[in-house]
Amino acid sequence: KTTLEDSKTPLIIQPLATLYRNLTPLGYTVLRTIAGAMIATFGASKLFTEDGAQMDIDITGIGFEPPKIWASFVIWLEFLGGIAIAIGLLTRPFAAMFVGLFGVILITVMIPRGVNYQLFALWFAAFFYIALRGGGGMSLDRLIGREL
């Protein structure tokens, strides 16, 4: 019976094993690239519109001081860190920063409100996986030959 490396469960349709085995590395690259690109767009919208000013107010509301410095850090992290993750450069450190960011957002804002925390939990889980896995086979980290 045919199984995949990550699973001991036999496949119902055994000929699919080759397809799954060949596409698995691409699947991770798609996850990493889209997650990074989406976060970068959030940062870009805050950098190039008035949304960034609202961040000062939001950050002050949860007690982070000084709010302008924290807001700038988060905005630049979203923009530059998102781009870096999308292209697979310094993937683990940036993903770890996003794990911290989304952990703080979940604990201090979203879970206490009791609503709309699901998307932030998904972001947390995605970046946790990316931080553990690194850039992967199709990344600048791999091209350079070094990862943290």
Side-chain angles (χ1 to χ4, degrees), residues 72-91:
S72 295
F73 173 75
V74 169
I75 291 167
W76 283 104
L77 174 62
E78 287 178 350
F79 184 61
L80 296 176
I83 291 170
I85 287 175
I87 63 176
L89 179 64
L90 299 171
T91 307

Side-chain angles (χ1 to χ4, degrees), residues 1-2 9 17 29 34 37 55 61 65 71-72 75 77-78 87 91 104 113 120 123 126 128-129 142 146-148:
K1 294 185 179 186
T2 305
T9 307
T29 300
I34 289 176
M55 288 255 335
E65 296 290 338
S72 295
I75 291 167
L77 174 62
E78 287 178 350
I87 63 176
T91 307
V104 168
R113 287 183 187 168
F120 287 88
W123 281 117
F128 184 77
Y129 181 63
R142 178 66 55 92
R146 299 274 183 201
E147 282 192 72
L148 288 177

Side-chain angles (χ1 to χ4, degrees), residues 1-5 7-18 21:
K1 294 185 179 186
T2 305
T3 61
L4 294 176
E5 292 80 28
S7 173
K8 302 293 183 213
T9 307
L11 294 173
I12 294 170
I13 304 172
Q14 293 183 6
L16 290 176
T18 302
R21 198 173 359 274

